[in-house]
Structure formats: C-alpha cells, structure tokens
Amino acid sequence: MSGLPQDPPGGRKAVAVWSIGVAVYFVAVIFRTSLGVAGLDAADRFHVNASALAAFSLLQLLVYAGMQIPVGLMVDRLGTKKVLTLGAVLFTAGQVGFALSPSYGMALAARALLGCGDAMTFISVLRLGTRWFPARRGPLMAQLAGLVGMAGNLVSTLVLAPVLHGLGWVPAFAGSAVAGLVVLVPLVLFLRDHPEGYGTAAPARGTGGSGGFVRRQIADSWREPGTKLGLWVHFTTQFPAMVFLLLWGMPFLVEAQGLSRTTAGGLLTLVVASNMGFGLLYGQIVGRRQSSRIPLALATVATTATLWGAVLAYPGDRAPMWLLVALCVVLGTCGPASMIGFDFARPANPPERQGTASGITNMGGFLASMTTLLAVGVLLDATGDDYRIAFASVFVLQALGVSRILGLRGRALARERDRRAPAPVASHGDPAPAPATA
C-alpha cells in the first residue's frame, strides 16, 4: 500500500530529525520516572507519609495532563521545534530544582515544573512522525517513540538507582540534569518541523482571534468520535503500568512482597523490557491490520486485570515469584496498548489538528494514572498499608474505561470507514461531488 499523494517521503533525513526529537523525549522520561526508583529515599529525605509521597507524582501528572490540550494547540500553531525547546528548558530546570530542594514544598514545585516541560515532548514527537513519514508508518513510529521512552525508564532503573544509592541524592539528580543540556544543542541547531515542500497551511485565525482558534481546534477535534475513542483507549490501557513504574511498584514489591530493593529493581526493569518488546510487536500488528486495534486493546486490559487479581488474591501474605514475574511481563503491554489510542485520533483529524487531537488523547492515560496514584496513597494510609485494598482501585478505572470504549467504537469505526471510502465516480468518468458530512 503506497502513501497518499501528499505524504512526506521519509528517508534518512526524516530518521535523523525524528531521532533528535525522540532524544529529547528520552531524557524527559528519565526525569519523569526518576522518582520511581527514589520513592523510599524521597520519603526519608522529606519526612513524609504515603499520601504526601504520592503528591509528588500526582502533582507532576496533574500538570502533565492539564498541559496536554494547551501543548497540542501550541504545536499546531507554533510548530514542533519551539515547543520542544521550551519543554527541554523547563524539564531540565525542574530536575535541577528537585536535586537541590531543601524542603518538601520546594521539591513539589520542582516536580510541577518538570511535569510542565515533560508535557511538551511526546505530542511534539508524534507531530514530527506525522510530518516526516508516510501515513502508513504512523502506528510503527508512535510505537517506536513509546519504546524509546521506555528505554528512558530503563535508564532510571539501571543507572540512576545505583548512582542514587552510591553517591547520594544531589549528585544523582543534579548529574542527570546534564542530559537535558546535551539534547538541547542538536535540537536548536538541526531540528526542522517538516520536510521542505511538505508544510501545512497555517490554521486560519478567523475573526475570533486566538480565543476563536483555541475553541475551534478543541471543538472540532472533540467532535470526532475517533478522538474520544482514542482518549478512552489511552485512559484504560496505560495507567496500571504507569502507576507501578512511576511510584508504587517499588514500595509494593519491597514492603508488601518482602523483596530486596535489588530484586524489586529487577522486576521494574522487566516491565520496561517487556514494554519495549511488545511495542515492536503491537506496532507491526496494528500497522498491518487496523481491525486488530480494539481486540488488542481489550485483550491487554483483560490480561492485566487477570494478573493483578491473581497477585492480590493469592492466599498468604506474599505472591510467588513466578506470579510477580508474569504480572511484570503483562504490565509491559500497557504502554504499547495505549499507543493504539493515537491510531484512532490520527485518521479522524486533518494535519492542522493533529497536535490538538493527540493532546486530548494523551490526556486520558495520565488522568487515569493521576487518579490511581492518589487513590492508592489515600487507601494505604486509611488501611494501615493494605496493598490489596489499595491496588483494587485499578479495577474500578478499568471497568469505566472498557464501558466507554465499547460505547464509542461503533461510531468511531463507521466514521473512519466513511473518511477512507473512495469518492463516487460520475457516469462520464469525472469524480462526482462528495456528499456533505456533518
């Protein structure tokens, strides 16, 4: 299947430019997930309980989720390079601030700044993929971007954790911030928004000024069932692994399951490695068979819920290692499954709305993660650290998400088929006018 006539050609230059953007996202994920290996250290450093510890990740995700639509609008209006550059400056400043914060309040502010910069990276990378590569490569490029992000998570687990425990808090976090400065150089010098000759027309400003543009972009994107379905697929699939890796996995494995930090770190690494492997697999499957998107997403949710239920309901105080390994392998499918959400939003929106639509979609998983992070922390404090009750909150959000996916899939897929249908041909061979759509 060949790309559409206006598809960009791809090629080596596209790979080089896209790689610069992905490198920025890679560093952002290292900074985002650095707290996942430092949760217990942060609790000791700032003398806080489980709820206050959860507030670090909660605030970071709150800022991230709240920024998704504004960032999408910024990408559509200002272009990828400007937004990525601002993001890199902000998340680097946030990481330095977190390293040097003398108090809990200042550390919270630093994580909020980090979340703001982090929020500007992934949507920008998705935009680079759609502007530099043919549309048929969209699912694979999104999965590859997610895979590189998980590699950043792997760096947090394998590199930052030993440095933290060997050299201490300030050297680990301040030292890692240097990576943000490193990626800024090629970003400023070499990144381009799109190939020459393949730019999109600037969005019409209309008579309403900037406010009119914002309202129109959001309303037109949200009007598409594919955008709504993309949000709920992302909401339902991403958060179990995000909550596990971002904060609660290490405490759960050490405090509830009695594992050493080294063994727990190995299991967190397994989640990341599984994510990277399944990312390639999911990208190939969806790229070849679009009909697999809903079954693949629902199968991921069902398998994740089954393994979580088995671990939490296992008789006795601790689950066996083989079951914990199985859970971590299955959690690795959550990230790749969440990328399927963008494969519904992308064909539902024209190029000039891709940033806004991606922002709406990306907001879903982070809203779910934020809600669950808070719920787990509150339930742990309320139940005396009963992880079985706390982690049962995962099933509530999964049930909500599945109900919305099932309710939206019919309209979204019908609308998508209508968009892809060839224009009718008149009797003399000239294309007939396409029927008007709402």
Side-chain angles (χ1 to χ4, degrees):
M1 176 181 175
S2 62
L4 297 172
Q6 294 302 314
D7 271 1
R12 292 183 179 179
K13 186 174 182 180
V15 172
V17 172
W18 181 80
S19 297
I20 294 172
V22 168
V24 177
Y25 175 55
F26 172 77
V27 174
V29 174
I30 294 176
F31 293 177
R32 178 202 304 171
T33 58
S34 57
L35 187 60
V37 298
L40 298 177
D41 299 85
D44 292 337
R45 179 178 177 84
F46 299 110
H47 310 292
V48 294
N49 60 14
S51 296
L53 182 61
F56 277 124
S57 296
L58 180 65
L59 178 61
Q60 184 179 332
L61 289 184
L62 178 63
V63 172
Y64 188 105
M67 285 290 293
Q68 289 309 291
I69 293 178
V71 168
L73 292 164
M74 290 169 64
V75 170
D76 285 337
R77 190 144 202 181
L78 302 178
T80 303
K81 182 173 183 175
K82 292 179 181 179
V83 177
L84 263 182
T85 301
L86 178 59
V89 171
L90 291 178
F91 67 61
T92 301
Q95 188 76 342
V96 173
F98 192 59
L100 303 178
S101 294
S103 66
Y104 175 70
M106 292 185 66
L108 275 178
R111 293 306 285 186
L113 186 63
L114 192 156
C116 185
D118 181 19
M120 299 181 180
T121 58
F122 187 63
I123 293 176
S124 298
V125 171
L126 289 180
R127 173 78 170 192
L128 279 180
T130 61
R131 299 310 302 137
W132 280 90
F133 293 93
R136 68 181 184 275
R137 300 294 186 196
L140 181 59
M141 301 314 296
Q143 290 289 354
L144 286 175
L147 186 151
V148 173
M150 291 309 297
N153 201 324
L154 196 63
V155 169
S156 289
T157 304
L158 296 181
V159 178
L160 187 61
V163 173
L164 175 65
H165 298 141
L167 299 179
W169 184 275
V170 173
F173 283 96
S176 66
V178 174
L181 301 177
V182 171
V183 296
L184 262 175
V185 176
L187 169 58
V188 172
L189 294 179
F190 303 115
L191 190 131
R192 298 293 180 268
D193 287 348
H194 51 75
E196 187 176 352
Y198 286 88
T200 57
R205 295 177 182 265
T207 58
S210 297
F213 166 77
V214 169
R215 288 191 296 271
R216 185 167 55 252
Q217 287 285 98
I218 296 174
D220 290 349
S221 297
W222 186 246
R223 190 175 295 120
E224 293 292 341
T227 305
K228 297 176 184 176
L229 180 58
L231 179 146
W232 283 105
V233 168
H234 200 269
F235 177 101
T236 313
T237 53
Q238 186 206 45
F239 78 93
M242 178 68 72
V243 168
F244 196 79
L245 289 172
L246 200 59
L247 183 61
W248 291 122
M250 180 70 78
F252 169 72
L253 294 173
V254 173
E255 296 178 352
Q257 299 301 314
L259 302 181
S260 67
R261 288 195 180 200
T262 301
T263 303
L267 288 175
L268 294 180
T269 303
L270 178 61
V271 177
V272 177
S274 172
N275 183 297
M276 296 172 71
F278 279 107
L280 292 173
L281 178 63
Y282 277 38
Q284 292 290 343
I285 292 173
V286 174
R288 293 177 181 178
R289 295 195 63 182
Q290 292 284 286
S291 61
S292 67
R293 290 172 296 175
I294 290 292
L296 201 56
L298 293 178
T300 300
V301 175
T303 308
T304 304
T306 299
L307 264 296
W308 257 126
V311 169
L312 298 179
Y314 195 86
D317 293 334
R318 299 171 184 174
M321 179 59 69
W322 66 265
L323 187 53
L324 294 175
V325 168
L327 171 65
C328 290
V329 170
V330 169
L331 285 175
T333 65
C334 294
S338 72
M339 295 296 103
I340 296 174
F342 298 102
D343 294 320
F344 288 109
R346 187 184 304 111
N349 293 273
E352 62 269 19
R353 283 209 311 265
Q354 288 295 318
T356 305
S358 295
I360 293 172
T361 299
N362 204 32
M363 191 168 59
F366 288 92
L367 285 174
S369 299
M370 180 175 61
T371 302
T372 310
L373 280 169
L374 178 61
V376 170
V378 170
L379 289 171
L380 284 175
D381 285 339
T383 61
D385 292 338
D386 190 327
Y387 280 90
R388 290 184 174 181
I389 295 176
F391 274 119
S393 58
V394 169
F395 306 126
V396 177
L397 271 72
Q398 285 182 319
L400 171 63
V402 168
S403 69
R404 298 304 301 138
I405 291 172
L406 295 177
L408 286 164
R409 63 176 178 173
R411 282 187 295 149
L413 295 177
R415 175 76 164 164
E416 192 173 292
R417 286 192 297 269
D418 290 343
R419 284 182 176 274
R420 291 177 174 174
V425 178
S427 58
H428 295 290
D430 296 327
T437 57

